[in-house]
Amino acid sequence: MTEEDYIKKWLTDTLSEAEKEEFSQTEAYSSIQRMDRELQKFKAPAYDETLEFDRLRSRLRPAGRQVRVNWVPWLAGAAAAITLLVVSYFLFLVPEYSSYTTGIAGKRTIVLPDSSLVILAAKSELRLKEDSWDNDRFVELTGEALFQVARGSDFHVYTETGTVSVLGTEFNVRDRTGFYEVICYEGKVAVKSGGVTESLTPGRFFRAVNGDITTESSEYYNYPHLLTNESAFSSVPVREVIAEFERHYDVKVIPENIDLTVRFTGRFGHDNLDLAIQTISVPLGLQYRIINDERIILTGE
Amino acid sequence: MSTEEEADLCNEKRFEQLFNTVSRDLYRFIYHKFGTDSNPADLVQEAFLKLWQNCRKVTPEKARSFLFTVANNARLNQIARDKTAMKYAESDQRNVEIETPQFQMEHDEYSLQLKEALKSLSEDQRVTFMLNRVEGKKHQEIADMLGISRKAVEKRIYTALAILREKIKGF
């Protein structure tokens, strides 16, 4: 038997007593023993089920109250039928929306019922109907989010400015005041906005700035910026870049002598204010002054 | 009738029971696969919440694999893949006898080397290997968790071990 055979058999506990004895004398055995001992340091930290379940319990309520039909024999049948009617009225006629929101500098990951994933950017809201999800996959979005959609039926993202429809893919939607943009990273995405329908392939984006529609591709949009905690812009009006900066750093940026329609191309990170403001101001030839925690002045020539 | 209703996962008692039997395994699975940065305890909560919302559609037999699938898909949550590296767990030094500085140093070097080697494993290799060697899970248990065959589990463990041994050869 080779050393490899010994180890394989030892791992599956299929060595005979004699073989075990022999193996325990080897160099390989003692080095594995040492490793096993050392590996214990990497044990997962302690986990308390009771504590964790208590933490979860408070979030269980809403679903727990759903359809609780008591199948008491026939006398109660009529009552049950009425209960059912009332329940289905609430289930099917009154839309039961779940809502997820983020504040300034916030970001959260949402797992949808079909295990599609959404990363919601700062100052945004996502609404969906979990009950009818199987028949109709759609979400309503205010702000920005990255979507990684599991394969399946049509998936729609509705925002005030447009509709994005896909089958299964990865894309980013931002809908901020006067600025709507859809970036496709994977698969194929259909966008409908302002009477225009466009089909996007990976690397391309759709944009409507105050009703002005363009479809282009940009190397700045070749990977999802929300995954790397950045905001990426490909020739976006400074006005929108500043607004985005404010959403991440909870400061007010006061522009002085700046043409807010000038286009900016680049990225800024979400974890270093100084670096981020430099990334914006230097390429545009602007000066900045940090007044305090709440105010930054950005000036032109 | 009532027995059937109790078997339903929408029953809170039944759900809690499931939580008590599965959550720790799920937690360890996430920890070894994605590392501490993934907030394993939170991901466990999210997975169970998802199950609760689908409690009428998921049968109790399918619940376990549902939970692991949801947690596994949450990998996007891992902002950058290289952050996956597990945080180096500080060992409890209180039980360790006093060692000579030379030995101590070698030991630390060995730990570091091992940590680097663990990072170099694929997520699947690492989670399989660690669940077995460190958390003491049986091959069949791991196979059930990951939804793969027992043979595949054995193969992964051996491969992981071979890689680790190769990487820390000098010691």
Side-chain angles (χ1 to χ4, degrees), chain A residues 92-146:
Chain A
F92 299 114
L93 297 182
V94 180
E96 272 283 325
Y97 280 97
S98 314
S99 163
Y100 303 86
T101 52
T102 50
I104 285 181
K107 175 170 151 176
R108 66 187 285 190
T109 306
I110 299 149
V111 185
L112 300 179
D114 58 357
S115 64
S116 291
L117 281 166
V118 180
I119 295 187
L120 198 58
K123 266 289 203 199
S124 302
E125 181 181 5
L126 187 83
R127 298 188 345 129
L128 66 134
K129 274 164 74 175
E130 310 225 0
D131 283 333
S132 59
W133 186 264
D134 286 353
N135 316 320
D136 196 6
R137 299 199 294 172
F138 76 88
V139 296
E140 294 174 5
L141 170 73
T142 314
E144 175 176 3
L146 171 73

Side-chain angles (χ1 to χ4, degrees), chain A residues 36 38 41 60 66 111 227, chain B residues 50 56 79 89 111 133:
Chain A
D36 261 354
E38 199 64 27
K41 283 185 182 173
L60 295 182
Q66 281 176 7
V111 185
L227 287 186
Chain B
K50 196 69 16 192
R56 268 168 293 157
I79 287 152
S111 283
R133 304 309 304 166

Side-chain angles (χ1 to χ4, degrees), chain A residues 169-232:
Chain A
T169 172
E170 190 170 6
F171 61 98
N172 193 87
V173 180
R174 1 187 186 201
D175 192 357
R176 307 290 191 182
T177 316
F179 182 84
Y180 177 67
E181 188 183 70
V182 179
I183 310 169
C184 172
Y185 300 112
E186 204 187 291
K188 212 168 181 189
V189 177
V191 189
K192 216 163 123 182
S193 172
V196 179
T197 306
E198 281 281 353
S199 177
L200 300 178
T201 49
R204 293 187 68 78
F205 67 91
F206 173 99
R207 179 184 292 162
V209 182
N210 295 320
D212 233 1
I213 290 172
T214 47
T215 307
E216 290 171 54
S217 57
S218 165
E219 57 177 302
Y220 282 86
Y221 289 168
N222 55 8
Y223 64 87
H225 57 252
L226 277 179
L227 287 186
T228 48
N229 285 327
E230 291 174 300
S231 294

